[in-house]
Amino acid sequence: MDYWSFGTVIFECICGFRPFLHHMQPVQWISKVKNKGPKDIMAIEDMNGEVRFSTQLPYPNNLSKPLLELVECLLQMLLLWDPALRGGGLDPETNRPHCFTAMHSILNMKVMHVLDMTSAQLHSMILGTEESLHSLQIRLETQTQAHIPPLSQELLQESGMSLDPRWPPAQCLPDGLCGWDSFIVFLFDKSLTKYSGPLTARRLPDSVNFIVRETKTQLPLSALRKVWGEAVSYIRGLKEDYLRLYQGQRAAILSLLRYNSNLTRYKSVLLSQSQQLRAKLAIFKTSIQHDLEQYTKQTDTGISSEKMLKTWQENEKKVDEFMEVADVSRLDDEIVALHSEIVELQRSPFARRQGDVMEQLENKAIELYKQLKAKCKSPDPPHGYSDSSDMVGTIVQMVQNQDRVLKDLYTHLSKILICKRRIVDLFPEVEGAIVKIKASNAEVMQMQLKRQKEFWFLLKIACAQRDSLSPSFTQQSTDSETVSQLLDDNQRYMAQLTSLLQDATQEMEHSVMDQDWSWIQFGAVKVDTQ
């Protein structure tokens, strides 16, 4: 296996150029590179023409710190000048070169990238297979700039869901290097609601820092080509830094929406319980008022109980107290106002990605690099030297634009976190109101059952009094019943007598008319003759 070529390919894939003075002729190259140390993995020629060796990968390289150390160790074994020593020698445990053991470790490692949203620092944590979330949080406390304690840490995935403490964090990572390398967890400090910004931009590479300080200095095109390539990488890195922070903001808004969804569910339960309690109280109060009215009417002639009257009056006062418990209008108004603020946060232009200007500046830097590259390849370049005014101007614009968009991002993020804190503060109040309403509901039911028992008790008393009436009262009742019966008999007899008289009268009328009344006529004639 050609270890040297393999190491060179790895280096070029990471950095974008070959490790050892690729622009030199072979004889000159050998005379320079053979002087490298056993752990040197690269050689660069500075602006003054001096060759400097390094045991580390150049900055920037876009490798996380845990992976960077392992890759540098691997390259140190592959890029040894002595061919017999390349590969790191045999590993007695595997009987294979040590470089294969290093590659196996790299391919099997589990790394979780944690972006601290309070400082915009990216922490890469190597995870054990069974390492708990609490163990990870303790390690983060020591590495974060603000030393955030575990109780104040909130680790959100890109979907807005928190890491489940019941499972090892390593189970959240996607399979494969490409999976976990793009997987980011966002760290928030729950004790803070306002994050400061804009944050300091990433550090400039030494060569890029040189052209920024010496903008008008004329440099060879071959040297500028490498420096401008690093400048393009730096500008792209600024854009990626913003995009990661924007992903953190999106995770925060998604987490806020999850909290808001839970609050809405609690609100529905609260309003339902409140309406049920109000309905029961209205019925119970109407019943109590009716009982008091009826009790007042029959007090003089019926049954009276001061204890029962006092209980009913106390129940009427309790109903008024329970009505205050059922009144959840204040909480309802706060939740509705909070919903409106969340909708406004979602509609805000700062809730959308503000990277258009960054992309334009990145494309401009790439175009400048392509133009410089074309000049270097020209067989007869018009000028062998050039300054870096255009590229430095693009870098300055990129840094200024990043400051502006990060300021807007953190202002919007602070509003999101304030709304989330208000929701968290409302949860205990809503839960407490639901508990009070349920307790009041149960007490109203007990009062209703007690009222029913009191009615049954009154019925028992009434029945007992009826069975134990005095004899005089019984005699009076009997006499009154006899008089009534006599009157009824008298009326019945009078009706029968009237009917008999009418029948007799009709019979007499018919019998008189049937008599011979002719003698009356004879007597009349005789009188006339006389």
Side-chain angles (χ1 to χ4, degrees):
M1 179 177 179
D2 190 347
Y3 294 116
W4 182 275
S5 298
F6 183 45
T8 302
V9 171
I10 293 176
F11 186 96
E12 189 169 2
C13 289
I14 295 172
C15 302
F17 57 91
R18 281 171 281 179
F20 297 107
L21 308 174
H22 60 279
H23 61 282
M24 290 186 178
Q25 297 297 324
V27 176
Q28 185 184 10
W29 182 85
I30 292 175
S31 64
K32 296 286 186 182
V33 176
K34 70 178 182 180
N35 296 323
K36 81 178 201 67
K39 291 188 177 182
D40 291 334
I41 59 175
M42 66 170 294
I44 58 173
E45 189 176 11
D46 59 16
M47 298 298 178
N48 299 322
E50 296 181 1
V51 176
R52 293 187 292 114
F53 293 96
S54 175
T55 60
Q56 298 176 343
L57 289 170
Y59 175 84
N61 49 55
N62 295 323
L63 291 181
S64 60
K65 185 177 180 180
L67 187 60
L68 177 64
E69 296 174 354
L70 293 176
V71 171
E72 288 176 346
C73 181
L74 174 63
L75 291 176
Q76 289 171 3
M77 289 185 285
L78 296 176
L79 297 177
L80 289 169
W81 183 254
D82 187 354
L85 300 177
R86 292 172 190 167
L90 289 178
D91 186 352
E93 295 182 0
T94 61
N95 199 25
R96 300 178 67 185
H98 281 89
C99 63
F100 287 96
T101 304
M103 285 189 292
H104 185 269
S105 300
I106 293 173
L107 295 174
N108 288 278
M109 68 188 304
K110 293 288 186 180
V111 178
M112 176 174 284
H113 302 299
V114 181
L115 180 61
D116 183 3
M117 295 297 293
T118 62
S119 62
Q121 292 182 349
L122 186 65
H123 304 279
S124 299
M125 317 293 291
I126 298 179
L127 299 179
T129 306
E130 299 298 330
E131 183 179 6
S132 65
L133 178 61
H134 182 67
S135 174
L136 174 63
Q137 290 177 323
I138 293 176
R139 291 166 57 195
L140 285 172
E141 181 182 8
T142 60
Q143 293 194 17
T144 53
Q145 185 176 352
H147 300 292
I148 306 173
L151 292 178
S152 298
Q153 294 179 18
E154 184 178 21
L155 295 171
L156 296 181
Q157 303 179 48
E158 191 174 354
S159 61
M161 296 181 62
S162 300
L163 293 183
D164 194 340
R166 298 173 298 177
W167 304 102
Q171 295 188 8
C172 301
L173 296 176
D175 296 330
L177 283 175
C178 295
W180 62 254
D181 192 50
S182 60
F183 182 80
I184 298 179
V185 174
F186 304 96
L187 172 62
F188 293 87
D189 188 350
K190 292 188 289 187
S191 63
L192 299 178
T193 55
K194 184 177 181 180
Y195 289 2
S196 59
L199 304 172
T200 305
R202 60 167 57 192
R203 180 174 62 87
L204 282 168
D206 294 337
S207 57
V208 178
N209 189 31
F210 176 81
I211 64 171
V212 170
R213 289 186 288 104
E214 304 291 340
T215 305
K216 298 298 183 180
T217 302
Q218 297 288 325
L219 297 174
L221 295 181
S222 58
L224 280 181
R225 178 180 175 181
K226 180 177 180 300
V227 177
W228 281 25
E230 293 183 3
V232 171
S233 177
Y234 176 78
I235 290 174
R236 179 172 296 172
L238 292 179
K239 187 191 74 171
E240 292 175 353
D241 291 343
Y242 165 74
L243 292 179
R244 280 196 294 265
L245 291 172
Y246 173 73
Q247 289 178 348
Q249 177 187 280
R250 289 291 301 166
I253 191 68
L254 291 175
S255 176
L256 173 65
L257 294 177
R258 291 180 182 275
Y259 274 77
N260 187 45
S261 177
N262 292 333
L263 182 63
T264 302
R265 186 168 64 252
Y266 272 85
K267 175 190 172 184
S268 300
V269 175
L270 176 66
L271 294 180
S272 176
Q273 295 286 343
S274 175
Q275 291 174 358
Q276 293 179 16
L277 179 59
R278 284 174 177 272
K280 292 179 180 179
L281 289 174
I283 295 174
F284 186 75
K285 186 173 184 179
T286 303
S287 302
I288 288 292
Q289 291 175 349
H290 178 73
D291 294 344
L292 290 173
E293 291 176 1
Q294 297 300 320
Y295 178 83
T296 304
K297 290 180 181 179
Q298 61 89 46
T299 301
D300 297 333
T301 59
I303 302 171
S304 62
S305 173
E306 293 297 330
K307 182 178 180 181
M308 184 179 63
L309 177 62
K310 184 178 180 181
T311 301
W312 286 355
Q313 292 173 347
E314 290 177 354
N315 289 343
E316 191 174 15
K317 293 180 180 179
K318 286 184 178 180
V319 168
D320 296 333
E321 295 176 359
F322 292 154
M323 279 293 186
E324 295 180 0
V325 174
D327 185 11
V328 293
S329 57
R330 182 187 65 83
L331 287 175
D332 187 23
D333 293 341
E334 289 187 18
I335 294 174
V336 170
L338 195 54
H339 289 343
S340 301
E341 292 184 20
I342 293 174
V343 171
E344 292 300 323
L345 286 176
Q346 290 179 280
R347 293 178 178 176
S348 172
F350 302 116
R352 295 184 289 273
R353 189 166 64 91
Q354 305 292 316
D356 295 340
V357 177
M358 288 187 172
E359 291 181 357
Q360 294 174 4
L361 293 173
E362 180 188 9
N363 294 332
K364 180 180 178 181
I366 293 174
E367 186 62 30
L368 290 174
Y369 177 75
K370 288 180 178 179
Q371 294 175 6
L372 179 64
K373 188 176 179 181
K375 289 181 181 180
C376 293
K377 290 183 178 181
S378 176
D380 186 18
H383 300 287
Y385 292 83
S386 177
D387 60 18
S388 303
S389 302
D390 295 337
M391 183 60 74
V392 171
T394 305
I395 293 173
V396 172
Q397 291 179 17
M398 190 71 173
V399 172
Q400 292 175 348
N401 182 74
Q402 189 197 43
D403 289 343
R404 180 182 59 81
V405 296
L406 287 185
K407 182 178 180 180
D408 296 337
L409 184 145
Y410 272 90
T411 301
H412 189 69
L413 179 62
S414 298
K415 294 179 181 179
I416 294 173
L417 297 177
I418 290 173
C419 285
K420 188 174 180 179
R421 172 61 62 84
R422 289 172 59 188
I423 291 178
V424 172
D425 293 340
L426 276 175
F427 273 128
E429 294 187 38
V430 175
E431 291 178 353
I434 292 175
V435 171
K436 289 181 180 179
I437 289 175
K438 288 183 177 180
S440 301
N441 196 357
E443 191 167 352
V444 170
M445 295 301 296
Q446 292 295 329
M447 290 164 58
Q448 180 67 14
L449 291 175
K450 185 178 179 182
R451 174 174 167 270
Q452 293 176 355
K453 290 180 180 179
E454 290 172 351
F455 274 122
W456 283 110
F457 182 70
L458 290 177
L459 289 175
K460 289 181 180 180
I461 294 176
C463 293
Q465 288 183 353
R466 181 178 179 182
D467 295 339
S468 60
L469 290 175
S470 61
S472 60
F473 182 79
T474 305
Q475 183 65 33
Q476 291 176 2
S477 300
T478 304
D479 294 340
S480 62
E481 291 177 359
T482 303
V483 172
S484 299
Q485 185 176 2
L486 291 174
L487 291 174
D488 293 337
D489 293 342
N490 186 27
Q491 290 180 356
R492 186 173 66 256
Y493 293 148
M494 286 291 294
Q496 292 178 358
L497 179 60
T498 303
S499 177
L500 290 174
L501 290 173
Q502 290 177 354
D503 294 338
T505 303
Q506 291 178 358
E507 290 178 358
M508 287 179 64
E509 289 179 354
H510 291 294
S511 60
V512 171
M513 294 299 296
D514 292 337
Q515 296 294 327
D516 185 12
W517 296 96
S518 60
W519 60 272
I520 296 177
Q521 296 178 356
F522 177 76
V525 172
K526 187 176 180 179
V527 171
D528 293 338
T529 304
Q530 292 177 357

